[in-house]
Amino acid sequence: MINNNNNNNTESIILNAMIQNEPCIIKCDTTSWKIKDLFLDSNSNSNNSISNHSFCPDLFCKLYGQEQICVHNDSIDVEQPKLNISINEFITRIKNGEKLYAKDWHLFQFDSNKTIDADNNIDNNIDNNIDNNNNNLYHVPIEFCDDWLNWYWKRCKHGFDDYRFVYLGGKDTVTYMHHDVLYSYSWSLNLYGCKKWTLYSPKDTIHLLKKNTIDEYISDTRDGMYDPEMYPGISKTNPIVLVQEEGEAIFVPAGWYHMVENMGHMNTNPST
């Protein structure tokens, strides 16, 4: 793992992490991120900090409440069927304590003509360009400006798709073991809540396999959540465990399998 060591030069830290292909957590400036207005209380704009603000998705529900969203029910099973429900229903149910989790959610495709201004109003007919920092819900932090996968979708495929995701879930919801799309690296910034990341380097990948298989990987490496006889290699792994607080961005190296646990009451992450 690349250690920050209180170094304020975050660009150098991330560059070093990319070169060594190791995970790293840094603080990012999200002062201008309008996505915060969708999920946090109005006081979240009063200073440069995200912390100590309440989960308040009123504006989000006002803008997108009738849209349908695909969510996972983590109270059942890792292989549970997904649910298609409205955002209003999703927010209501997670507020009531249900373990629902929206993952790999293309919020930015819902309506490219809707953005949020500083007064929490709707601006219509504004081009939602990934390079336009003034009107977007967020902008790519300078530390991760080499955003070549989304550059491809925007420039070569005319915005047909993207790899910009939002994750929104309550306490104890989980993103199970996986590697990122195309074995690329990724970054994820935590707007609200707290996350626990368990990451396995590529040299540990073979140990994540189910016994006598070549393509069945373990989904959950937490104690008591798997059969050691079926996954004997887990004892040979050396995972890196990181806790991501509000306002922190994690760099996830290429080819690293990882699982993520939401530890706070509510968690909101834009990722790419």
Side-chain angles (χ1 to χ4, degrees):
M1 173 187 170
I2 302 299
N3 198 319
N4 192 326
N5 289 329
N6 298 319
N7 187 342
N8 292 324
N9 190 347
T10 53
E11 292 181 62
S12 295
I13 294 170
I14 293 301
L15 178 60
N16 194 26
M18 289 181 179
I19 292 173
Q20 298 189 39
N21 202 43
E22 294 187 4
C24 181
I25 286 182
I26 62 170
K27 274 283 188 181
C28 280
D29 180 13
T30 61
T31 307
S32 62
W33 284 27
K34 297 174 183 178
I35 192 173
K36 293 187 298 181
D37 297 333
L38 292 179
F39 299 108
L40 304 184
D41 62 52
S42 58
N43 291 329
S44 62
N45 287 326
S46 61
N47 53 51
N48 293 339
S49 174
I50 294 174
S51 301
N52 301 320
H53 299 294
S54 302
F55 179 73
C56 183
D58 295 350
L59 180 60
F60 173 60
C61 290
K62 179 180 178 181
L63 289 175
Y64 303 104
Q66 301 306 313
E67 301 282 356
Q68 294 290 304
I69 189 172
C70 184
V71 302
H72 298 253
N73 188 337
D74 278 0
S75 63
I76 305 175
D77 183 78
V78 63
E79 301 296 338
Q80 82 282 14
K82 299 176 183 178
L83 305 174
N84 287 294
I85 58 179
S86 72
I87 284 175
N88 279 336
E89 180 181 350
F90 170 63
I91 293 296
T92 298
R93 290 173 65 172
I94 58 177
K95 278 186 171 182
N96 290 335
E98 289 194 53
K99 295 172 64 175
L100 301 182
Y101 196 5
K103 308 176 184 180
D104 298 332
W105 171 26
H106 294 268
L107 168 63
F108 313 102
Q109 294 181 12
F110 269 33
D111 188 344
S112 61
N113 292 324
K114 289 182 181 177
T115 62
I116 315 303
D117 68 16
D119 297 319
N120 290 351
N121 295 318
I122 304 175
D123 289 336
N124 293 315
N125 302 318
I126 297 176
D127 178 28
N128 190 18
N129 189 302
I130 64 173
D131 296 325
N132 190 334
N133 292 344
N134 294 323
N135 296 321
N136 264 359
L137 293 176
Y138 84 105
H139 62 271
V140 177
I142 187 65
E143 294 87 355
F144 306 108
C145 61
D146 187 19
D147 193 17
W148 52 272
L149 283 179
N150 285 306
W151 181 94
Y152 168 79
W153 283 116
K154 186 66 179 180
R155 301 305 194 282
C156 303
K157 295 296 183 180
H158 309 290
F160 176 76
D161 204 349
D162 62 60
Y163 290 119
R164 297 178 294 169
F165 307 119
V166 170
Y167 293 75
L168 179 62
K171 187 177 184 295
D172 297 328
T173 50
V174 179
T175 302
Y176 294 98
M177 191 70 69
H178 67 288
H179 63 75
D180 286 322
V181 61
L182 302 179
Y183 279 92
S184 66
Y185 61 76
S186 68
W187 64 270
S188 177
L189 188 140
N190 202 22
L191 282 180
Y192 187 73
C194 180
K195 287 179 175 285
K196 177 182 177 182
W197 293 72
T198 305
L199 304 103
Y200 294 84
S201 72
K203 67 182 181 182
D204 279 337
T205 298
I206 192 171
H207 300 309
L208 302 177
L209 283 166
K210 187 176 182 180
K211 185 178 180 180
N212 297 326
T213 70
I214 59 173
D215 58 1
E216 293 185 41
Y217 292 93
I218 192 168
S219 60
D220 192 337
T221 56
R222 292 176 293 178
D223 290 342
M225 302 303 294
Y226 67 95
D227 183 351
E229 292 188 4
M230 297 304 296
Y231 296 95
I234 299 302
S235 61
K236 301 176 183 178
T237 62
N238 186 30
I240 292 177
V241 178
L242 302 174
V243 174
Q244 182 188 24
E245 305 287 353
E246 295 174 10
E248 292 184 339
I250 184 171
F251 170 75
V252 181
W256 283 58
Y257 274 81
H258 52 280
M259 63 176 293
V260 189
E261 304 167 61
N262 289 327
M263 302 169 65
H265 176 66
M266 196 64 60
N267 295 263
T268 308
N269 282 68
S271 307
T272 188

